[in-house]
Amino acid sequence: MRWIVRLIGLIVVLAVVAVGTLFLIPTERIGTLVGEQFERATGRSLSIAGDIRPSLFPTLGVRVEGVEMGNPAWVEDGPLIRAERLNVGVDLWALFSGSVRVQRFELVRPDIVLVSRADGAVSWDFSAGEGIEAASEDSAEGGPGSGGLGSFTLDLAEITDASLLYRDEAAGTELRVEALSLTLRLPSAEGLADLDGEGTMNGATVSVAAAIDGVGPLLEGEVRPVSLTLDWAGGEAGFDGRVGLAPLGVDGTVHLDATDLGPVMALAGQGAPELPEGLGRDRLALDGAFTLASEGSAHLRDARFTFDGNSLSGDIDVIPGDERPLIRAALSGGVLDLSGLTEGGDAGAAGSEGSGATGWSRETIDVSGLHAVDAEAALALDGLDLGILTFGAVDLRATLTAGRLVLDLRNLSAYEGAITGQYVVNGRGGLSMGGNLNVAGVRLSPLLSDFADWDRLEGTGDARFDFLMVGNDMHALMNSLSGSGELSLGEGAILGLDIGGMIRNLDTSYRGEGQRTVYESITASFAMDGGIVTNEDLLMTAPYGELTGAGTVSVGQQAMDYTVIPRILYGEGSEGGVRVPLRIRGPWSNLSYSLDLEALAQQELQEELDALEERATQAVTDAVTEALGVEVEEGQSVEDAAVDSLEDRLREEAAEQLNRLLGGN
């Protein structure tokens, strides 16, 4: 608005100069004189291609056709203004008192080109010339004008049916507005000025209304009340508060409620963001107290954000930095529904273009956004729904520093248990992810049902694991997975799988009456390296016996080769039982289960061989003891018994010989 007021004031002064000379100088010379004065005052060219028609009644004025005002030489998009017609009317009697009161200023069908260069120079800067003050002084000294203009007011200024091009070369953005109409009223420099207008951007009509209480004091550096409202078919935005220009400062309340951000983002030279459901796809709203401090920091207090059906409240600060701004935030809310983030499938695991029917995506993950800002944030929620997982109360801290994001899970209530730990995303020099998580008392059935659509495991569980992944896509990340962990599950059941009946019937398709395997506990530890999870100590205790397991799960290749060996008891208190290896292998999408009957036959053969060896050993022992005449005590070997017997006989023989030598005494 500032440049509009100054430009109108300059044009009005020159128009008054032109009207004053109409009766002294031929009209064909008017355009030349006005152009010379304008170029001297601004350093820009001004040409008039059409007629110049004066009026004396009811107002002193001029109508100029075919007006063109030049841009700096470095602008290649055309002149600053090219208008079909310019109409100016001033109060004749006010001129006698040394002031300019513009009763009407109208610019018809102008094409306006505004350019901001990469080095900060702007095309609407008129400081290259001697300035309007110099032009006015020339008029007072006898030049072609009416000097001594002490004040300036504007009853009505209109720009009708304009087109506007604004290009920001530093940001690489461009704004085009068509059918632009503006109306400005400035009754006095100290009074209330208001601006109304509308224009079309990307097919959407945007209306603007602004009011400034004291334009003159504002331009001179005072802090003045300002209000601004934007309306468009998809929403509204506004500000109501106080603004200062030297130095720049803003303090007031802001409001935004939009179902379509396209038009308002176009005003900033940006495209509308593609927001997901739950984060503003259908509606985005903001209310709060906003402050822009003179040193450049921005502060939002007592703010309330609405993202579709979600809401957050809290405070946000944006502080300038040498390399990037720092954002500090403390936000809280109720239950946050972000299920739209995972709608339509998993997070890029399989099925991506070029990866085949299965396998992790090889599409490069863009982490450039991690370097845009630094951040320190705290988030407290009553609940969080991610679609694939549902959590209760959330207490989260996040720190983003030079591309490295650290998420500190102070407490994450989940499935009647809790998750704590730390998750790190490092975008410095590539992408890596890592962390450590602790899970306590989580109910397995709803967790696995939400996460993997698998509800065949009942019970509660604890887990601990740390991990590290390095790579620029999901395929590389999963194939680099390394770390370790432990798993401990309490009493529960495996539904739809009767391991006991399967073993007894030697049939992997067996389904018993209950179709479930009850267990008392499951424990395991595992190591991860190169995307492969290795376990050697799985132990499941159950009423029917126990189950041990060992094998590998290839996370990178989405496959597994794992063998479980249940020991089935034949009856209560029995010591024996059959052990049959159950092998699970293949890709995750098509796992196969098979009983290792060969291993079972070898096991039975080995048991028979062991029994035969035991019987043979016993027979040999009996024969040897009978031949040697020795007795084998429990826990004593035949060799030891024979040695003990021989030692006893030798002692007895030695005693008899000694007795003879001593004469029986």
Side-chain angles (χ1 to χ4, degrees):
M1 184 172 179
R2 183 177 185 178
W3 75 271
I4 295 176
V5 172
R6 289 183 171 178
L7 183 58
I8 291 175
L10 181 61
I11 294 176
V12 167
V13 170
L14 294 174
V16 172
V17 172
V19 172
T21 60
L22 280 175
F23 301 99
L24 303 175
I25 304 174
T27 57
E28 63 268 13
R29 290 279 298 153
I30 297 299
T32 302
L33 290 174
V34 172
E36 291 174 354
Q37 287 288 336
F38 186 85
E39 184 169 1
R40 182 177 179 184
T42 66
R44 307 292 181 81
S45 63
L46 177 66
S47 63
I48 300 174
D51 295 335
I52 302 176
R53 301 178 183 177
S55 66
L56 292 177
F57 185 83
T59 61
L60 175 66
V62 64
R63 170 174 172 163
V64 183
E65 297 180 350
V67 179
E68 183 175 301
M69 184 185 302
N71 253 323
W74 50 266
V75 177
E76 299 178 353
D77 298 282
L80 178 70
I81 297 176
R82 180 188 289 121
E84 179 180 303
R85 186 172 70 253
L86 169 64
N87 296 322
V88 178
V90 298
D91 187 337
L92 177 60
W93 306 112
L95 288 176
F96 294 144
S97 63
S99 64
V100 176
R101 179 187 175 190
V102 181
Q103 294 178 315
R104 183 173 183 80
F105 176 94
E106 183 182 14
L107 200 58
V108 180
R109 295 188 182 87
D111 296 326
I112 304 172
V113 176
L114 306 175
V115 180
S116 175
R117 203 163 59 182
D119 61 3
V122 294
S123 64
W124 56 92
D125 181 4
F126 298 98
S127 60
E130 298 180 14
I132 186 170
E133 292 83 357
S136 299
E137 290 171 2
D138 285 350
S139 299
E141 294 173 0
S146 54
L149 303 178
S151 62
F152 175 82
T153 62
L154 182 61
D155 288 351
L156 179 65
E158 291 183 320
I159 298 177
T160 59
D161 199 15
S163 66
L164 170 67
L165 166 65
Y166 172 70
R167 176 176 291 113
D168 187 336
E169 296 180 349
T173 59
E174 183 176 288
L175 168 66
R176 291 184 180 272
V177 183
E178 302 295 335
L180 174 63
S181 296
L182 294 174
T183 300
L184 173 65
R185 294 177 179 85
L186 182 62
S188 70
E190 291 75 20
L192 182 66
D194 62 83
L195 173 70
D196 297 290
E198 66 177 26
T200 302
M201 295 177 293
N202 300 325
T205 299
V206 179
S207 301
V208 59
I212 301 175
D213 189 0
V215 175
L218 177 66
L219 297 179
E220 292 172 1
E222 293 187 21
V223 177
R224 302 300 298 172
V226 173
S227 65
L228 173 66
T229 302
L230 294 175
D231 286 285
W232 62 98
E236 61 180 16
F239 168 80
D240 189 8
R242 294 163 59 84
V243 174
L245 300 180
L248 180 62
V250 177
D251 183 20
T253 59
V254 293
H255 168 74
L256 170 68
D257 194 342
T259 57
D260 178 14
L261 285 174
V264 72
M265 292 301 295
L267 284 174
Q270 304 290 330
E274 295 183 3
L275 300 174
E277 182 182 358
L279 288 178
R281 185 191 69 179
D282 301 320
R283 180 181 178 231
L284 183 64
L286 163 66
D287 288 282
F290 176 74
T291 300
L292 177 63
S294 57
E295 62 271 16
S297 62
H299 310 272
L300 195 58
R301 291 287 179 269
D302 299 323
R304 180 177 178 83
F305 302 88
T306 301
F307 308 96
D308 299 327
N310 298 317
S311 63
L312 292 173
S313 59
D315 304 327
I316 297 178
D317 299 317
V318 180
I319 302 171
D322 294 335
E323 296 183 4
R324 61 188 67 85
L326 170 64
I327 298 177
R328 291 196 179 105
L331 301 172
S332 61
V335 177
L336 201 62
D337 183 0
L338 299 181
S339 57
L341 296 176
T342 56
E343 218 172 49
D346 56 26
S352 61
E353 186 176 349
S355 64
T358 61
W360 300 103
S361 169
R362 295 176 184 266
E363 183 178 352
T364 300
I365 300 174
D366 183 9
V367 294
S368 59
L370 294 176
H371 298 271
V373 298
D374 290 340
E376 299 172 0
L379 178 64
L381 300 173
D382 293 337
L384 177 62
D385 183 0
L386 294 177
I388 58 173
L389 291 173
T390 303
F391 301 103
V394 175
D395 185 0
L396 172 68
R397 300 293 186 273
T399 303
L400 176 59
T401 306
R404 185 175 183 268
L405 174 64
V406 179
L407 299 176
D408 185 8
L409 300 177
R410 301 199 174 183
N411 181 58
L412 192 61
S413 299
Y415 304 96
E416 300 183 14
I419 301 174
T420 59
Q422 192 176 83
Y423 187 84
V424 179
V425 180
N426 191 348
R428 301 172 183 172
L431 174 61
S432 63
M433 300 182 186
N436 57 82
L437 295 175
N438 296 284
V439 181
V442 171
R443 290 185 59 211
L444 301 175
S445 180
L447 170 64
L448 295 175
S449 179
D450 286 352
F451 184 69
D453 196 23
W454 195 71
D455 58 357
R456 295 173 62 178
L457 187 62
E458 291 182 343
T460 60
D462 301 336
R464 176 206 62 80
F465 61 95
D466 57 82
F467 65 97
L468 176 65
M469 299 182 287
V470 180
N472 293 322
D473 55 58
M474 288 298 296
H475 180 268
L477 288 169
M478 292 301 175
N479 279 279
S480 68
L481 178 65
S482 62
S484 62
E486 297 175 349
L487 177 68
S488 177
L489 307 183
E491 292 183 354
I494 303 174
L495 305 181
L497 180 64
D498 185 353
I499 295 179
M502 189 183 299
I503 300 302
R504 293 189 185 97
N505 292 275
L506 300 180
D507 182 4
T508 58
S509 63
Y510 177 80
R511 294 292 181 267
E513 182 178 348
Q515 293 190 16
R516 67 203 311 256
T517 298
V518 177
Y519 63 83
E520 296 168 348
S521 68
I522 299 177
T523 59
S525 63
F526 54 88
M528 300 179 288
D529 185 39
I532 298 176
V533 181
T534 303
N535 163 253
E536 301 291 346
D537 62 355
L538 174 67
L539 174 62
M540 182 177 79
T541 60
Y544 67 82
E546 65 179 24
L547 179 147
T548 59
T552 61
V553 177
S554 178
V555 178
Q557 300 301 317
Q558 297 185 359
M560 68 183 299
D561 188 353
Y562 199 85
T563 300
V564 295
I565 306 176
R567 181 172 72 91
I568 306 299
L569 302 178
Y570 291 114
E572 184 177 353
S574 62
E575 297 294 333
V578 61
R579 299 175 184 268
V580 179
L582 175 64
R583 192 172 185 183
I584 308 171
R585 57 181 171 176
W588 294 354
S589 58
N590 187 28
L591 290 174
S592 65
Y593 303 84
S594 62
L595 294 174
D596 196 337
L597 298 181
E598 181 181 353
L600 176 61
Q602 290 178 349
Q603 175 181 296
E604 292 178 347
L605 177 60
Q606 185 62 46
E607 290 176 352
E608 291 181 3
L609 290 175
D610 292 342
L612 180 61
E613 181 180 1
E614 184 178 354
R615 290 195 298 271
T617 300
Q618 186 62 44
V620 171
T621 300
D622 293 343
V624 171
T625 56
E626 183 179 354
L628 296 177
V630 299
E631 294 183 2
V632 180
E633 297 179 0
E634 184 178 354
Q636 188 180 34
S637 66
V638 176
E639 292 83 356
D640 291 341
V643 170
D644 291 344
S645 178
L646 180 59
E647 288 179 349
D648 291 341
R649 291 180 182 180
L650 289 175
R651 281 194 295 270
E652 291 175 0
E653 184 66 26
E656 290 178 1
Q657 293 297 330
L658 181 61
N659 188 41
R660 291 191 187 100
L661 291 175
L662 296 177
N665 296 317

